[in-house]
Amino acid sequence: MMRYVRSVAVAVTGMLALSACGGSGGDDSGASSSGKPRIKLVINGGLGDKSFFDSAYAGLKRAEKELGYELKVVELGTDRTKWEPGFEDAASADDYDILAAGTFEVTDYIGELAPQFPDKKFWLFDAPVDYSGKNGGCSNKCENVYSVTFKQNEGGYLAGFLAQNLVAEKALKGTESLKKAGVMGGVKIPLIEDFVVGFKAGFQAAGGKNSDVLVQYVGGDKPFADPARGKEISTSMYGQGAALVWPVAGLSGLGTFESAVSAKRFTFGVDSDQYQTLTDEAQKNTVVTSILKNVGNALYKAAQDDQKDTLKYGAVATVGLAEDAVGFVDDEHFKQLVPEQIRTEVQEAADQVKSGSVTVPSAL
């Protein structure tokens, strides 16, 4: 029986979605009669977060459409007691060639299951499996596991740089007297802290003060799936003088958009383009831009490389701005809200990080 992951483990940046029970798509009948490579996406949560898992799904759907894969999705819901048996069942079924899963909450599951199925491939996104073979790591060093992690600190840097410019230049209507910005994390763990450390560095690089960055965490039993608590925290931050709040808390972040409407303030989206994924028009209009963690792009690239037999298993790939795995949305809505001079400066900041002339601090 596999050991459980850390008792305080939580899904990352957006990561727990609407509670879903059971699987969707495909069946357990065995090998595909089409002969197409089969990917099974196993989600410790559910689709519908309009952020992290939805991004992963979109990238794999693109691989299905453009590269000829077959995709099956298994949603395990937010009840953690169902995750371990859910992953065991998913790995045991002969209905996949590649099993994809994400967040650090599932690294132990993949690390223990992958050696049991050496003829299968495993993709782990946003956290690496322990390849060492020590301290409970993979017994075979997980030679059939590809891990990809992201430089979310670089995205955080751009968010902080943009936020300080917006408040300094009084660019956001109705917030001209305000000079603070907030970051709401799901829980205080290194991965979430990487967003926060990057944000503070960018805010300071643009001339802001550390004391003007408000940081708070959702916490509790469902830190990435508690919109009510997210709304409460965001409302408090707006009350303390934040012109905008950036939620890095998955489904809990939906509460931030509700709060921003009531407070007549602004937000940044996270992971996916949340101006596009939100359905409420008033909430959409609070989103200045979204800081992207392009999980879908990374998985689509993995699918491309796997077809070419160039994907490196048994190792971790780390991607960021230079690989277009992290970035920000620069669309017409962004142009309407943000003056050209600020847009230019943010792009210059991104270019400096890409070139290596600016190194962003990290919590990892």
Side-chain angles (χ1 to χ4, degrees):
M1 192 71 161
M2 295 190 302
R3 64 186 179 279
Y4 282 100
V5 291
R6 312 166 184 82
S7 61
V8 296
V10 289
V12 176
T13 173
M15 305 192 227
L16 279 180
L18 298 172
S19 183
C21 23
S24 64
D27 55 41
D28 294 334
S29 57
S32 168
S33 59
S34 69
K36 295 179 179 179
R38 301 161 300 166
I39 300 176
K40 182 189 288 186
L41 173 62
V42 183
I43 299 174
N44 52 311
L47 295 175
D49 64 356
K50 305 182 186 301
S51 182
F52 183 82
F53 281 133
D54 284 1
S55 175
Y57 175 70
L60 293 178
K61 283 296 291 183
R62 183 183 170 200
E64 181 179 49
K65 180 179 178 181
E66 299 180 10
L67 303 177
Y69 286 84
E70 286 188 2
L71 176 63
K72 174 176 181 172
V73 180
V74 178
E75 299 170 83
L76 299 179
T78 57
D79 182 352
R80 289 182 175 81
T81 64
K82 296 181 179 179
W83 291 356
E84 180 177 12
F87 271 95
E88 289 177 335
D89 289 345
S92 299
D94 189 24
D95 61 348
Y96 70 98
D97 301 297
I98 299 162
L99 190 151
T103 81
F104 79 92
E105 285 195 307
V106 308
T107 56
D108 285 0
Y109 300 148
I110 300 303
E112 294 189 21
L113 286 168
Q116 299 176 37
F117 302 95
D119 59 328
K120 302 293 187 181
K121 298 175 181 178
F122 293 81
W123 296 351
L124 184 56
F125 53 92
D126 206 38
V129 75
D130 181 0
Y131 290 100
S132 69
K134 303 174 182 178
N135 302 317
C138 291
S139 59
N140 69 344
K141 298 189 178 180
C142 283
E143 295 173 355
N144 56 337
V145 179
Y146 164 75
S147 299
V148 59
T149 61
F150 300 83
K151 297 177 182 178
Q152 52 276 320
N153 59 320
E154 294 183 350
Y157 181 86
L158 296 185
F161 190 90
L162 172 60
Q164 165 57 18
N165 273 283
L166 290 171
V167 297
E169 297 301 324
K170 307 182 187 302
L172 297 176
K173 184 178 180 181
T175 69
E176 292 85 355
S177 64
L178 305 176
K179 61 179 182 179
K180 295 182 180 180
V183 183
M184 184 184 75
V187 73
K188 191 172 183 178
I189 55 173
L191 200 71
I192 294 299
E193 283 298 283
D194 213 30
F195 286 95
V196 176
V197 167
F199 188 96
K200 287 181 175 179
F203 198 84
Q204 290 180 301
K209 297 178 181 179
N210 225 355
S211 58
D212 286 332
V213 178
L214 307 175
V215 181
Q216 195 169 342
Y217 304 89
V218 177
D221 294 333
K222 46 181 183 177
F224 291 91
D226 194 346
R229 178 63 177 152
K231 183 176 181 178
E232 179 184 335
I233 290 172
S234 301
T235 299
S236 174
M237 286 183 168
Y238 290 131
Q240 294 174 66
L244 59 89
V245 173
W246 184 33
V248 187
L251 192 62
S252 298
L254 296 182
T256 298
F257 303 116
E258 291 184 37
S259 178
V261 172
S262 299
K264 297 182 180 179
R265 303 286 174 82
F266 293 88
T267 64
F268 291 161
V270 68
D271 292 340
S272 296
D273 182 354
Q274 293 193 283
Y275 178 74
Q276 295 297 331
T277 60
L278 291 169
T279 56
D280 183 281
E281 197 66 27
Q283 292 180 24
K284 285 165 62 85
N285 287 328
T286 70
V287 181
V288 178
T289 185
S290 291
I291 307 303
L292 303 174
K293 180 184 282 188
N294 289 320
V295 179
N297 284 3
L299 292 178
Y300 180 80
K301 179 67 162 53
Q304 286 182 312
D305 291 348
D306 193 64
Q307 282 192 337
K308 301 172 186 174
D309 290 326
T310 58
L311 192 64
K312 294 182 179 179
Y313 287 89
V316 183
T318 302
V319 291
L321 273 168
E323 296 80 15
D324 194 31
V326 174
F328 68 100
V329 176
D330 182 4
D331 58 6
E332 286 304 314
H333 177 70
F334 181 67
K335 291 178 172 64
Q336 289 172 6
L337 291 178
V338 180
E340 182 178 2
Q341 180 58 36
I342 295 178
R343 299 199 310 270
T344 299
E345 290 178 5
V346 172
Q347 186 56 60
E348 288 174 350
D351 292 340
Q352 288 171 350
V353 174
K354 286 182 181 180
S355 70
S357 61
V358 168
T359 300
V360 182
S362 174
L364 299 177

